[in-house]
Amino acid sequence: MRRSRAFIPTTKEAPSDAVLASHIYLSRAGFIHQVASGLYSYMPLAKRVIKKIENIINEEMAKVGAEEVELSFVTPASLWQESGRIDKFGKELLRFKDRKENLFVLGPTHEEMMVDLVRNRITSYKQLPINLYQIKTKFRDEARPRFGLMRGREFIMKDGYSFHAYEEDLDREFSAMERAYKRILTRLGLDFRVVEADSGAIGGSGSKELMVLANSGEDTIAVCDKCEYGANIEAATRGAVEIPEAPEALFNKFQTSETSSIEDLAEFFKIDPYYTVKCVAKKLVFEEDSEVVLFFLRGSDNLQEVKALNATGALEITDVTAQELEELGLETGYIGPLDQDRAKHVIDSDLKNATNMVCGANEKDYHFVGVDLSIISEVAYFADISEVHEGDSCPHCDGKLSFTKGIEVGHIFKLGTTYSEALKAEFLDENGKAKPFIMGTYGMGVSRLVAAVIEQHHDDSGCIWTKETAPYMVNIMISNIKEVTQVELGEALYTRLIESGVETMLDDRKERFGFKMKDAELIGFPYTIIIGKELVNGNVQIFDRKTKEKISVDKNEIYEKIMELL
RNA sequence: CGGGGUGUAGCUCAGUAUGGUUAGAGUACCUGGUUUGGGACCAGGGGGCCGAAGGUUCGAGUCCUUUCACCCCGACCA
């Protein structure tokens, strides 16, 4: 492509709302243009990058035997009613009616559509397994779109779905897909981590997220410093702690005025908060109603709300007001798990057999000491509801957990029969018995990957595309368009590279050296061949975007040299 | 959805408290000239329903009402 003819509107200034590097540079370098909140147009450079990523995905999907399809973007709301997700998905689903007053939604994900496509077409175990995917624009009416391509309302996603007759076959496919996803991210040149995760509103198990490591990531992930373990903070667990010697005490009720906080309580008894029981009261919203639920944890721990949701099966978790607690007869600061009959409660599994604990006596100004929680271990409801801390031990080895930020670019999980049952998608097994498909689902954010690459590969001058993602590999810069010898060499080299299949840009604009260099750095071509003042000595230079180094090359060897580098 | 902010040239922003020439700057764009290794310089030029609608006034970018959009913090987010 000739730069003089290309549509690449670069600017010196970024849109005022751009915060992330990817948003700033993709805007400034003329890749994307925002048209409305969370909606972006892709200009030629972005389109090329997207195609590259799609090609890599297609290649890797072909290797594992997945087939590409394309489902309609506008989907009938009736399918969403059938699965029951029309209410669960909420306002993120953009709904509208056609001229005949039929209700439709813009697809935010395509479980229903894919199950509908397969049901009654795949009818025998002999036809299984199959794995179908598409790369398609999705729409989620996010309450608050932000960060450019990172969290748009309209975005491109690769979504795949596999159908199986047996659990073991799903397990096999799931592993194969995990490997394929890792290969994709590796080829894209990304530093990433596969972590255990919560499966969210779609439901399912064996959930894993593929996280591109970047400080700007919206997710916090806990990773082990010794083994491969990594998990989203929403799902992270920790190894059993060596229970330190508890200060022994006989069971007793103690007057503890002015100690409604864990801090005060620990100070009062001169013990570590680890030996205290804290109560976190939350209001849980269920499909029909809502109610206050008490969560008991060690004083040293914090409630992990996603875990709390999973433990209770609620849809949403919100704060409670002091008034609501009062109405239930709960004494703030002195709520304890013993004889707790005022509200439903969940106790952190870490407390299951804890002894010598201090907890609220459900009476103002009184706490129990020397509490042995094992006495209620048979009757109370225990679940993992605490959030791991940095420095906690790894659940799989003797390493320590540390936190890092990640961008969720992929999410794979085992759906099981949730959707096939809801949509009555069944096949006949060897015994002629009808069974729902066992499904897996595999998502990867294509447009988000474009942003993720830049989040991980940029500097103060702009984008630094990796070899597999670069919109053009080589930029030939003719320093002074009035110098005939420079133009001649540039044109000849351009033609030769194009003929060799190299994606090449020829900067043939009548601009000054500095202007063109800044522009090339902003766009981020991996290599720029500078044909300039050294040509009188028979030399040109290769500028490496990543290192910003320029190396001189004899003009007669430049073709071979650049081909070597690619 | 709660709280806050901003809408003026393609982009970044002045001007609005106290209404009053033809609405400004930088950048980008066009023409001519000089320049040619790190976003040049000089001269000239084009570009605006001052987010929209209504109102107050002799007069509104500026005051009032309504509305829309966008952004930030939070809630939410397969």
Side-chain angles (χ1 to χ4, degrees), chain A residues 59-84:
Chain A
E59 285 172 23
E60 294 300 333
M61 285 303 106
K63 282 186 198 165
V64 292
E67 290 181 282
E68 188 175 16
V69 296
E70 183 160 347
L71 308 178
S72 73
F73 183 31
V74 173
T75 72
S78 56
L79 277 176
W80 289 77
Q81 279 150 359
E82 233 183 298
S83 72

Side-chain angles (χ1 to χ4, degrees), chain A residues 17-68:
Chain A
D17 55 293
V19 195
L20 292 193
S22 61
H23 190 185
I24 292 170
Y25 294 132
L26 290 173
S27 300
R28 281 191 52 205
F31 284 73
I32 58 172
H33 171 247
Q34 180 175 0
V35 280
S37 181
L39 305 181
Y40 291 84
S41 293
Y42 303 119
M43 290 187 276
L45 289 178
K47 194 64 193 161
R48 290 181 73 96
V49 175
I50 289 166
K51 276 189 185 164
K52 295 220 158 177
I53 295 173
E54 288 177 350
N55 284 342
I56 291 172
I57 292 174
N58 285 331
E59 285 172 23
E60 294 300 333
M61 285 303 106
K63 282 186 198 165
V64 292
E67 290 181 282
E68 188 175 16

Side-chain angles (χ1 to χ4, degrees), chain A residues 79 148 158 192 204 224 232 243 282 309 317 332-333 358 374 380 412 461 468 480 500 522-524 546 548-549:
Chain A
L79 277 176
K158 175 264 167 181
F192 65 97
C224 176
N232 191 307
I243 304 277
K282 289 282 174 185
L309 272 183
I317 188 164
T332 318
V358 174
S374 65
I412 58 177
S461 308
E468 291 262 21
N480 187 345
S500 304
L522 180 60
I523 293 169
K546 196 170 173 183
K548 287 200 169 185
E549 282 170 0

Side-chain angles (χ1 to χ4, degrees), chain A residues 21-22 25-26 29 31 49 188-190 450-473 520-527 543-548:
Chain A
S22 61
Y25 294 132
L26 290 173
F31 284 73
V49 175
L188 291 174
L190 292 165
V450 176
V453 169
I454 297 307
E455 283 305 316
Q456 224 171 54
H457 302 281
H458 69 268
D459 61 15
D460 290 345
S461 308
C463 306
I464 304 175
W465 294 100
T466 59
K467 286 188 183 182
E468 291 262 21
T469 56
Y472 290 91
M473 272 310 283
E521 285 175 351
L522 180 60
I523 293 169
F525 305 102
Y527 298 105
F543 173 76
D544 183 325
R545 176 63 185 88
K546 196 170 173 183
T547 62
K548 287 200 169 185

Side-chain angles (χ1 to χ4, degrees), chain A residues 200-212:
Chain A
I202 278 185
S205 65
S207 173
K208 286 190 179 178
E209 287 170 339
L210 287 98
M211 293 283 189
V212 168

